[in-house]
mmCIF file of all heavy atoms in Angstrom:
data_model
loop_
_atom_site.group_PDB
_atom_site.id
_atom_site.type_symbol
_atom_site.label_atom_id
_atom_site.label_comp_id
_atom_site.label_asym_id
_atom_site.label_seq_id
_atom_site.Cartn_x
_atom_site.Cartn_y
_atom_site.Cartn_z
ATOM 1 N N SER A 36 -10.002 1.793 30.009
ATOM 2 C CA SER A 36 -9.123 0.816 29.341
ATOM 3 C C SER A 36 -9.044 0.983 27.859
ATOM 4 O O SER A 36 -8.668 0.137 27.086
ATOM 5 C CB SER A 36 -9.693 -0.600 29.663
ATOM 6 O OG SER A 36 -10.992 -0.740 29.059
ATOM 7 N N GLU A 45 -3.287 -6.768 11.759
ATOM 8 C CA GLU A 45 -4.519 -6.609 12.541
ATOM 9 C C GLU A 45 -4.406 -5.503 13.582
ATOM 10 O O GLU A 45 -3.404 -5.408 14.302
ATOM 11 C CB GLU A 45 -4.856 -7.893 13.351
ATOM 12 C CG GLU A 45 -5.371 -9.032 12.450
ATOM 13 C CD GLU A 45 -5.820 -10.204 13.276
ATOM 14 O OE1 GLU A 45 -5.558 -10.305 14.436
ATOM 15 O OE2 GLU A 45 -6.521 -11.058 12.612
ATOM 16 N N ILE A 46 -5.378 -4.573 13.620
ATOM 17 C CA ILE A 46 -5.430 -3.539 14.573
ATOM 18 C C ILE A 46 -6.498 -3.924 15.542
ATOM 19 O O ILE A 46 -7.626 -4.305 15.216
ATOM 20 C CB ILE A 46 -5.840 -2.181 13.906
ATOM 21 C CG1 ILE A 46 -4.871 -1.845 12.808
ATOM 22 C CG2 ILE A 46 -5.903 -1.076 14.924
ATOM 23 C CD1 ILE A 46 -5.301 -0.691 11.910
ATOM 24 N N THR A 47 -6.157 -3.913 16.919
ATOM 25 C CA THR A 47 -7.060 -4.267 17.924
ATOM 26 C C THR A 47 -7.459 -3.098 18.728
ATOM 27 O O THR A 47 -6.540 -2.310 19.209
ATOM 28 C CB THR A 47 -6.498 -5.347 18.838
ATOM 29 O OG1 THR A 47 -6.037 -6.463 18.031
ATOM 30 C CG2 THR A 47 -7.507 -5.889 19.806
ATOM 31 N N LEU A 48 -8.755 -2.760 18.905
ATOM 32 C CA LEU A 48 -9.229 -1.687 19.682
ATOM 33 C C LEU A 48 -9.762 -2.147 21.018
ATOM 34 O O LEU A 48 -10.408 -3.219 21.037
ATOM 35 C CB LEU A 48 -10.365 -0.925 18.968
ATOM 36 C CG LEU A 48 -10.135 -0.523 17.478
ATOM 37 C CD1 LEU A 48 -11.445 0.135 16.938
ATOM 38 C CD2 LEU A 48 -9.018 0.397 17.310
ATOM 39 N N PHE A 49 -9.460 -1.515 22.105
ATOM 40 C CA PHE A 49 -9.951 -1.852 23.434
ATOM 41 C C PHE A 49 -10.790 -0.723 24.008
ATOM 42 O O PHE A 49 -10.505 0.466 23.716
ATOM 43 C CB PHE A 49 -8.753 -2.160 24.402
ATOM 44 C CG PHE A 49 -7.902 -3.324 23.901
ATOM 45 C CD1 PHE A 49 -6.704 -3.026 23.271
ATOM 46 C CD2 PHE A 49 -8.266 -4.594 24.148
ATOM 47 C CE1 PHE A 49 -5.898 -4.057 22.828
ATOM 48 C CE2 PHE A 49 -7.454 -5.636 23.713
ATOM 49 C CZ PHE A 49 -6.302 -5.364 23.016
ATOM 50 N N GLY A 50 -11.742 -1.109 24.844
ATOM 51 C CA GLY A 50 -12.488 -0.043 25.505
ATOM 52 C C GLY A 50 -13.384 -0.598 26.618
ATOM 53 O O GLY A 50 -13.483 -1.819 26.776
ATOM 54 N N ASP A 51 -14.044 0.287 27.358
ATOM 55 C CA ASP A 51 -14.923 -0.132 28.383
ATOM 56 C C ASP A 51 -16.321 -0.405 27.917
ATOM 57 O O ASP A 51 -17.088 -1.213 28.499
ATOM 58 C CB ASP A 51 -15.088 0.991 29.474
ATOM 59 C CG ASP A 51 -13.767 1.111 30.285
ATOM 60 O OD1 ASP A 51 -13.003 0.114 30.384
ATOM 61 O OD2 ASP A 51 -13.486 2.155 30.842
ATOM 62 N N ALA A 52 -16.727 0.206 26.758
ATOM 63 C CA ALA A 52 -18.070 -0.018 26.177
ATOM 64 C C ALA A 52 -17.993 0.181 24.713
ATOM 65 O O ALA A 52 -17.004 0.694 24.205
ATOM 66 C CB ALA A 52 -19.054 1.006 26.768
ATOM 67 N N GLU A 53 -19.032 -0.307 24.022
ATOM 68 C CA GLU A 53 -19.053 -0.182 22.517
ATOM 69 C C GLU A 53 -18.966 1.267 22.048
ATOM 70 O O GLU A 53 -18.381 1.549 21.052
ATOM 71 C CB GLU A 53 -20.280 -0.863 21.938
ATOM 72 C CG GLU A 53 -20.156 -2.375 22.056
ATOM 73 C CD GLU A 53 -21.321 -3.084 21.323
ATOM 74 O OE1 GLU A 53 -21.776 -2.538 20.281
ATOM 75 O OE2 GLU A 53 -21.738 -4.220 21.773
ATOM 76 N N LEU A 56 -15.453 2.124 21.985
ATOM 77 C CA LEU A 56 -14.794 1.558 20.848
ATOM 78 C C LEU A 56 -15.067 2.393 19.572
ATOM 79 O O LEU A 56 -14.131 2.558 18.732
ATOM 80 C CB LEU A 56 -15.346 0.134 20.555
ATOM 81 C CG LEU A 56 -14.749 -0.968 21.404
ATOM 82 C CD1 LEU A 56 -15.390 -2.284 21.031
ATOM 83 C CD2 LEU A 56 -13.271 -1.052 21.290
ATOM 84 N N ASP A 78 -11.089 -3.889 7.352
ATOM 85 C CA ASP A 78 -12.159 -4.872 7.387
ATOM 86 C C ASP A 78 -12.559 -4.977 8.885
ATOM 87 O O ASP A 78 -11.914 -5.658 9.685
ATOM 88 C CB ASP A 78 -11.687 -6.211 6.880
ATOM 89 C CG ASP A 78 -12.790 -7.226 6.755
ATOM 90 O OD1 ASP A 78 -13.970 -6.847 6.831
ATOM 91 O OD2 ASP A 78 -12.449 -8.425 6.598
ATOM 92 N N ILE A 79 -13.639 -4.269 9.284
ATOM 93 C CA ILE A 79 -13.951 -4.117 10.684
ATOM 94 C C ILE A 79 -14.796 -5.268 11.189
ATOM 95 O O ILE A 79 -15.803 -5.637 10.544
ATOM 96 C CB ILE A 79 -14.717 -2.772 10.847
ATOM 97 C CG1 ILE A 79 -13.816 -1.622 10.488
ATOM 98 C CG2 ILE A 79 -15.134 -2.618 12.331
ATOM 99 C CD1 ILE A 79 -14.512 -0.272 10.355
ATOM 100 N N GLY A 80 -14.334 -5.898 12.242
ATOM 101 C CA GLY A 80 -15.021 -7.029 12.856
ATOM 102 C C GLY A 80 -16.055 -6.554 13.859
ATOM 103 O O GLY A 80 -16.238 -5.342 14.174
ATOM 104 N N LYS A 81 -16.746 -7.448 14.515
ATOM 105 C CA LYS A 81 -17.773 -7.194 15.491
ATOM 106 C C LYS A 81 -17.103 -7.012 16.871
ATOM 107 O O LYS A 81 -16.128 -7.688 17.158
ATOM 108 C CB LYS A 81 -18.809 -8.293 15.584
ATOM 109 C CG LYS A 81 -19.520 -8.590 14.281
ATOM 110 C CD LYS A 81 -20.999 -8.577 14.470
ATOM 111 C CE LYS A 81 -21.831 -8.912 13.278
ATOM 112 N NZ LYS A 81 -21.961 -7.759 12.387
ATOM 113 N N PRO A 82 -17.662 -6.142 17.717
ATOM 114 C CA PRO A 82 -17.134 -5.980 19.070
ATOM 115 C C PRO A 82 -17.333 -7.296 19.863
ATOM 116 O O PRO A 82 -18.379 -7.926 19.675
ATOM 117 C CB PRO A 82 -17.957 -4.860 19.645
ATOM 118 C CG PRO A 82 -18.545 -4.121 18.477
ATOM 119 C CD PRO A 82 -18.646 -5.153 17.385
ATOM 120 N N GLN A 83 -16.366 -7.609 20.653
ATOM 121 C CA GLN A 83 -16.424 -8.878 21.469
ATOM 122 C C GLN A 83 -16.224 -8.471 22.903
ATOM 123 O O GLN A 83 -15.406 -7.609 23.286
ATOM 124 C CB GLN A 83 -15.303 -9.861 21.085
ATOM 125 C CG GLN A 83 -15.253 -10.135 19.612
ATOM 126 C CD GLN A 83 -13.911 -10.733 19.221
ATOM 127 O OE1 GLN A 83 -12.945 -10.587 19.849
ATOM 128 N NE2 GLN A 83 -13.936 -11.402 18.057
ATOM 129 N N LYS A 84 -16.959 -9.187 23.829
ATOM 130 C CA LYS A 84 -16.739 -8.999 25.261
ATOM 131 C C LYS A 84 -15.512 -9.772 25.650
ATOM 132 O O LYS A 84 -15.277 -10.893 25.303
ATOM 133 C CB LYS A 84 -17.913 -9.517 26.040
ATOM 134 C CG LYS A 84 -19.219 -8.721 25.809
ATOM 135 C CD LYS A 84 -19.916 -8.494 27.136
ATOM 136 C CE LYS A 84 -21.241 -7.695 26.933
ATOM 137 N NZ LYS A 84 -21.019 -6.293 26.968
ATOM 138 N N VAL A 85 -14.612 -9.083 26.448
ATOM 139 C CA VAL A 85 -13.357 -9.676 26.837
ATOM 140 C C VAL A 85 -13.432 -10.316 28.265
ATOM 141 O O VAL A 85 -13.002 -11.380 28.518
ATOM 142 C CB VAL A 85 -12.199 -8.638 26.822
ATOM 143 C CG1 VAL A 85 -10.946 -9.238 27.283
ATOM 144 C CG2 VAL A 85 -12.050 -8.157 25.335
ATOM 145 N N GLY A 86 -14.023 -9.578 29.183
ATOM 146 C CA GLY A 86 -14.141 -10.013 30.569
ATOM 147 C C GLY A 86 -14.546 -8.860 31.411
ATOM 148 O O GLY A 86 -14.153 -7.704 31.160
ATOM 149 N N GLY A 87 -15.416 -9.082 32.335
ATOM 150 C CA GLY A 87 -15.943 -8.001 33.108
ATOM 151 C C GLY A 87 -16.865 -7.119 32.160
ATOM 152 O O GLY A 87 -17.708 -7.581 31.468
ATOM 153 N N ASP A 88 -16.521 -5.819 32.188
ATOM 154 C CA ASP A 88 -17.287 -4.932 31.271
ATOM 155 C C ASP A 88 -16.404 -4.391 30.133
ATOM 156 O O ASP A 88 -16.714 -3.410 29.522
ATOM 157 C CB ASP A 88 -17.866 -3.781 32.154
ATOM 158 C CG ASP A 88 -16.824 -3.042 32.847
ATOM 159 O OD1 ASP A 88 -15.693 -3.471 32.859
ATOM 160 O OD2 ASP A 88 -17.103 -1.907 33.388
ATOM 161 N N LYS A 89 -15.309 -5.097 29.882
ATOM 162 C CA LYS A 89 -14.344 -4.657 28.808
ATOM 163 C C LYS A 89 -14.821 -5.284 27.476
ATOM 164 O O LYS A 89 -15.362 -6.376 27.357
ATOM 165 C CB LYS A 89 -12.931 -5.096 29.126
ATOM 166 C CG LYS A 89 -12.478 -4.749 30.502
ATOM 167 C CD LYS A 89 -12.107 -3.332 30.691
ATOM 168 C CE LYS A 89 -11.446 -3.067 31.981
ATOM 169 N NZ LYS A 89 -12.164 -2.205 32.834
ATOM 170 N N VAL A 90 -14.530 -4.488 26.362
ATOM 171 C CA VAL A 90 -14.859 -4.970 25.019
ATOM 172 C C VAL A 90 -13.599 -4.769 24.178
ATOM 173 O O VAL A 90 -12.783 -3.857 24.454
ATOM 174 C CB VAL A 90 -16.047 -4.336 24.424
ATOM 175 C CG1 VAL A 90 -17.336 -4.840 25.047
ATOM 176 C CG2 VAL A 90 -15.990 -2.849 24.494
ATOM 177 N N LYS A 91 -13.518 -5.538 23.104
ATOM 178 C CA LYS A 91 -12.444 -5.318 22.072
ATOM 179 C C LYS A 91 -12.955 -5.500 20.723
ATOM 180 O O LYS A 91 -14.066 -6.180 20.490
ATOM 181 C CB LYS A 91 -11.244 -6.237 22.318
ATOM 182 C CG LYS A 91 -11.418 -7.643 21.862
ATOM 183 C CD LYS A 91 -10.145 -8.416 22.030
ATOM 184 C CE LYS A 91 -10.274 -9.797 21.328
ATOM 185 N NZ LYS A 91 -9.010 -10.498 21.340
ATOM 186 N N GLN A 92 -12.363 -4.979 19.743
ATOM 187 C CA GLN A 92 -12.805 -5.102 18.348
ATOM 188 C C GLN A 92 -11.465 -5.277 17.425
ATOM 189 O O GLN A 92 -10.508 -4.572 17.658
ATOM 190 C CB GLN A 92 -13.533 -3.843 17.902
ATOM 191 C CG GLN A 92 -14.131 -3.888 16.583
ATOM 192 C CD GLN A 92 -15.008 -2.726 16.267
ATOM 193 O OE1 GLN A 92 -14.847 -1.622 16.949
ATOM 194 N NE2 GLN A 92 -15.947 -2.802 15.404
ATOM 195 N N VAL A 93 -11.504 -6.271 16.561
ATOM 196 C CA VAL A 93 -10.418 -6.544 15.672
ATOM 197 C C VAL A 93 -10.723 -6.013 14.313
ATOM 198 O O VAL A 93 -11.748 -6.221 13.748
ATOM 199 C CB VAL A 93 -10.115 -8.028 15.658
ATOM 200 C CG1 VAL A 93 -8.971 -8.363 14.701
ATOM 201 C CG2 VAL A 93 -9.775 -8.600 17.004
ATOM 202 N N ILE A 94 -9.776 -5.240 13.788
ATOM 203 C CA ILE A 94 -9.861 -4.665 12.480
ATOM 204 C C ILE A 94 -8.765 -5.242 11.642
ATOM 205 O O ILE A 94 -7.572 -5.052 11.975
ATOM 206 C CB ILE A 94 -9.792 -3.137 12.511
ATOM 207 C CG1 ILE A 94 -10.926 -2.559 13.382
ATOM 208 C CG2 ILE A 94 -9.835 -2.580 11.083
ATOM 209 C CD1 ILE A 94 -10.858 -1.044 13.551
ATOM 210 N N LYS A 95 -9.063 -5.936 10.532
ATOM 211 C CA LYS A 95 -8.017 -6.487 9.682
ATOM 212 C C LYS A 95 -7.701 -5.469 8.582
ATOM 213 O O LYS A 95 -8.594 -4.775 8.059
ATOM 214 C CB LYS A 95 -8.502 -7.741 9.034
ATOM 215 C CG LYS A 95 -8.622 -8.893 10.024
ATOM 216 C CD LYS A 95 -8.955 -10.187 9.342
ATOM 217 C CE LYS A 95 -8.910 -11.348 10.229
ATOM 218 N NZ LYS A 95 -10.167 -11.531 11.034
#
Side-chain angles (χ1 to χ4, degrees):
S36 65
E45 288 186 345
I46 303 168
T47 308
L48 311 178
F49 299 99
D51 289 337
E53 287 189 34
L56 281 180
D78 186 16
I79 299 169
K81 299 234 183 280
Q83 308 162 340
K84 292 221 181 274
V85 176
D88 58 350
K89 311 283 190 244
V90 288
K91 79 172 187 176
Q92 187 173 20
V93 177
I94 299 174
K95 291 186 174 82

